[in-house]
């Protein structure tokens, strides 16, 4: 292993003013020593680049990549690996051999990094530096450095299996071990075996380098380690666990704002609902104290691009930003000015149960690696402070890291992509971490039931290939395909777009506001269920010219509705240009829409048991209607189906549609048949 070590100066971390005056926090040092860097944002960009740790060792990095086909780059947070490495490759002339491609796990990471690199080069995005993310692209024929999400690279592998247009591929933030990350790394191993000229860089701040070194041991590979630019970080824990970490986070924000010096605050929460609740509570604090020196901003994945970029803009003079974010802000994204980090200690993860064939979204405690990653956001430009809303004893009990996503999620979409790439035997495919065989079997059974593969495991024509080409989960892809022949494709595209964003119904923090929101929701609710209710909401939104006032009146989330509108337009373009899908409307025939939903989600059907709970037809699990569902307060229908299960105190069904029993045998006769017992 080659290790490039910087020589840091050593400083004792600052004494925390808030921590010394609060009774419920104790303090410890997260970083005993740190590289001291006096950032000067008034310096020219070239001078700022030279002060990054990676700059000093650019020759060694380029030499190792020149002599080896695979470079595993362990660069700590702040080292500059995400922005500087592609520029070094460009300056050395690698772009003349092909595009320099860099993948990111999230849209916003790819967009912001491309903007940063373009700015450093004195250009606008779309010239020599561009990006491609789902439904958004800024590239040109001159683009030599391309940032993209991992899903985009997977799509490119479908059309160009050897990536002949590329000279270097950089897989950034590989430590997250997303499902697509592991698929791509497995596919890239085949590419580097077939194309000795292509170079591969696997980069991360907390990567398990030895795992990937063993995986690529047959290839010419090397591990490089570069220390990052991390300032001293003081870490504070709660003395006692808190009952509500959202409220505790908001209270901690307010105390930091009142007692601490300059610097913005970044708060990590688990999902959009918690983020919006925290923003609302903070605004209540600001209003009740008549304090205009604090600005609360949300940050989550389904937020529109324009709204996401607001967190990067400097606030007015004398105003402090507080950003409430999901794990989207853990890696790659550096929000300028952040000095204080508040970590709730939890994260949302998908977990697949092969016995019940359900992919459940569960809130679980974070891992130590995630906690370290979140803490690293505080020490990017100056000494920072981290407030963990859990005890130090609880931190010691956390796992070192989570299992890779490929070992804990539903695999049907992954298998569909691999089948489209010509991988016939999934079990023999070389994964960095092989998935459980029972999960693979469950996914193959699901795809066979959906008609995407035949009894020999090959993609069917045209349905299987259609589903593989669509950037959607298999059930949604089948639903869109069936809508063409059933004459309701326009409605299905709307429903699919609405399912891609989080809830469109606002959830006020006050009790009176919640009552008004519930009453307003009744204007759209129908007995057929949540998906038809979503369709009604979107239709009314468009008929009212996408008005913010309309959303305020009916307690709707304007951001999410606007995002759904943009996604719908992109889906229509995709359907017209590539898939030859006929765009038809059923003109309000609700039964046709419900039948089309049933034709795709029949695996998720449930019936009302005589005990008063719902039983899933496949598996027989006890299921319950989610309290936020349209059907929660209505008489219970006999047969329903759902798009997602949420596991909290019970297994709750969300996005429910009411169906008729005979539709199951009519639309999925290969799977269901009626019998007399």
């Amino acid at each position: 292993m080659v290790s490039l070590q910087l020589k840091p100066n050593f400083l004792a971390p600052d004494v925390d003013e808030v921590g010394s005056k609060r009774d419920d926090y104790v303090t410890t040092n997260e970083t005993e020593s740190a590289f001291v860097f006096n950032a000067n944002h008034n310096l020219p960009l070239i001078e700022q680049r030279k002060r990054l740790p990676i700059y000093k060792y650019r020759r060694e990095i380029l030499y190792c990549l020149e002599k080896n086909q695979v470079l595993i780059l362990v660069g700590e947070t702040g080292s500059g690996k995400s922005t500087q490495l592609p520029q070094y490759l460009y300056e050395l002339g690698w772009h003349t051999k092909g595009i320099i491609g860099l993948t990111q796990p999230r849209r916003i990471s790819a967009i912001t990094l491309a903007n940063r690199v373009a700015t450093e080069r004195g250009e606008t995005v779309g010239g020599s530096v561009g990006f491609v993310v789902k439904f958004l692209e800024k590239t040109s024929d001159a683009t030599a450095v391309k940032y993209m999400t991992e899903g985009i690279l997977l799509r490119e592998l479908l059309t160009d299996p050897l990536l002949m247009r590329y000279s270097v591929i950089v897989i950034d933030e590989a430590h997250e071990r997303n499902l697509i990350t592991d698929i791509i790394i497995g596919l890239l191993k085949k590419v580097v075996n077939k194309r000795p000229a292509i170079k591969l860089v696997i980069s991360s701040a907390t990567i398990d380098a030895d795992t990937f070194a063993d995986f690529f041991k047959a290839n010419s590979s090397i591990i490089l380690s570069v220390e990052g630019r991390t300032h001293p970080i003081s870490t504070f824990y709660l003395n006692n666990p808190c009952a509500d970490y959202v409220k505790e986070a908001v209270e901690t924000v307010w105390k930091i704002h009142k007692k601490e010096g300059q610097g913005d605050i970044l708060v990590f929460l688990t999902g959009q609902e918690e983020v919006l609740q925290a923003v609302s509570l903070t605004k209540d604090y600001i209003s009740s104290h008549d304090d205009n020196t604090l600005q609360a901003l949300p940050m989550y994945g389904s937020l529109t691009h324009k709204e996401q970029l607001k967190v990067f803009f400097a606030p007015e003079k004398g105003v402090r930003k507080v950003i409430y974010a999901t794990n989207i802000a853990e890696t790659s994204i550096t929000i300028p000015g952040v000095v204080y980090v508040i970590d709730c200690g939890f994260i949302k993860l998908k977990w697949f149960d092969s016995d019940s064939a359900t992919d459940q979204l569960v809130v679980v405690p974070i891992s130590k690696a995630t906690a370290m990653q979140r803490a690293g956001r505080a020490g990017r430009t100056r000494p920072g402070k981290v407030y963990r809303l859990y005890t130090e004893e609880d931190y010691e009990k956390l796992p070192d890291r989570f299992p890779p996503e490929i070992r804990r999620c539903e695999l049907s979409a992954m298998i569909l992509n691999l089948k489209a790439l010509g991988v016939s035997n999934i079990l023999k495919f070389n994964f960095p971490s092989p998935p459980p065989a029972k999960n693979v079997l469950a996914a193959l059974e699901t795809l066979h039931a959906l008609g995407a593969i035949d009894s020999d495991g090959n993609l069917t024509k045209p349905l299987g290939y259609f589903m593989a080409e669509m950037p959607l989960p298999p059930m949604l892809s089948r639903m869109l395909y069936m809508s063409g022949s059933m004459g309701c494709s326009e409605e299905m595209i709307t429903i699919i777009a609405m399912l891609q964003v989080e809830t469109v119904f606002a959830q006020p923090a006050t009790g009176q506001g919640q009552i008004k929101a519930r009453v307003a929701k009744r204007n759209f609710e129908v007995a057929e269920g949540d998906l038809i209710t979503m369709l009604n909401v979107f239709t009314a939104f468009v008929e009212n010219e996408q008005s913010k006032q309309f959303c305020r009146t009916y307690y709707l989330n304007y951001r999410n509705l606007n995002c759904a509108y943009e996604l719908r337009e992109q889906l229509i373009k995709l359907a017209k240009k590539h898939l030859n899908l006929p765009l038809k409307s059923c003109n309000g025939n609700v039964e046709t829409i419900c039948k089309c939903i049933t034709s795709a989600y029949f695996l998720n059907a449930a019936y009302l048991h005589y005990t008063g709970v719902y039983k899933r037809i496949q598996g027989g699990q006890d299921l319950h209607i989610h309290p936020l569902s349209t059907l929660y307060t209505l008489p219970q229908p006999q047969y329903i189906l759902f798009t997602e299960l949420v596991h909290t105190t019970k297994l709750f069904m969300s996005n429910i549609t009411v169906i008729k029993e005979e539709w199951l045998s009519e639309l999925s006769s290969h799977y269901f048949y009626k019998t007399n017992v």
Side-chain angles (χ1 to χ4, degrees), residues 464-502:
Y465 282 92
F466 178 93
M467 291 171 65
E469 288 179 21
M470 285 300 297
L472 294 169
M475 287 185 183
L476 286 181
S477 299
R478 177 181 166 91
M479 188 169 77
L480 183 58
Y481 178 84
M482 296 300 293
S483 70
S485 58
M486 298 179 79
C488 57
S489 53
E490 289 192 8
E491 288 81 3
M492 284 301 108
I493 288 176
T494 299
I495 290 172
I496 289 170
M498 291 287 278
L499 287 171
Q500 300 304 299
V501 300
E502 297 196 39

Side-chain angles (χ1 to χ4, degrees), residues 587-632:
N587 299 315
N589 189 332
V590 177
E591 183 169 307
T592 299
I593 299 172
C594 291
K595 276 190 169 184
C596 187
I597 296 168
T598 306
S599 70
Y601 280 94
F602 57 85
L603 292 170
N604 292 354
Y607 69 95
L608 183 62
H609 195 252
Y610 66 83
T611 57
V613 301
Y614 280 94
K615 295 275 189 180
R616 189 176 183 183
I617 296 177
Q618 179 199 14
Q621 304 99 327
D622 288 353
L623 304 175
H624 303 268
I625 294 176
H626 197 282
L628 296 179
S629 171
T630 296
L631 301 177
Y632 188 70

Side-chain angles (χ1 to χ4, degrees), residues 538-557:
F538 186 88
T539 303
F541 177 65
V542 173
E543 287 177 352
N544 285 272
E545 298 177 347
Q546 300 170 252
S547 165
K548 287 186 178 180
Q549 182 57 47
F550 169 77
C551 293
R552 283 193 288 267
T553 302
Y554 290 97
Y555 290 85
L556 300 174
N557 189 312

Side-chain angles (χ1 to χ4, degrees), residues 649-668:
T649 54
K650 302 175 182 177
L651 263 179
F652 287 106
M653 300 174 286
S654 63
N655 300 328
I656 301 170
T657 302
V658 178
I659 63 171
K660 294 180 180 178
E661 179 187 4
E662 57 267 23
W663 292 352
L664 294 173
S665 54
E666 175 189 341
L667 297 168
S668 52

Side-chain angles (χ1 to χ4, degrees), residues 4 8 35 103 115 118 137 174 176 190 202 251 254 300 309 322 343-344 348 364 372 378 413 496 518 540 576:
L4 307 181
F35 178 69
T103 69
N115 276 281
E137 177 177 356
E176 293 194 18
K190 293 180 176 290
I202 300 176
E251 290 174 5
W254 194 251
Y300 49 87
L309 291 181
V322 53
D343 179 7
C344 74
K348 272 186 182 177
V364 298
M372 294 286 288
I496 289 170
R518 186 74 186 95
K576 285 180 178 178

Side-chain angles (χ1 to χ4, degrees), residues 165-176:
R165 297 172 55 226
Y166 292 86
S167 61
V168 183
I169 295 291
V170 181
I171 307 297
D172 202 5
E173 305 301 343
H175 73 276
E176 293 194 18

Side-chain angles (χ1 to χ4, degrees), residues 35 38 211 255 385 420 437 622 644:
F35 178 69
N38 296 319
T211 299
K255 290 175 183 179
K385 296 170 185 178
D622 288 353
E644 187 178 39

Side-chain angles (χ1 to χ4, degrees), residues 137-155:
E137 177 177 356
K138 280 195 176 180
T139 59
S140 64
D141 293 338
T143 299
V145 176
K146 184 163 79 172
Y147 285 86
M148 58 191 140
T149 54
E150 294 162 335
I152 296 298
L153 181 60
L154 187 59
R155 293 281 156 190

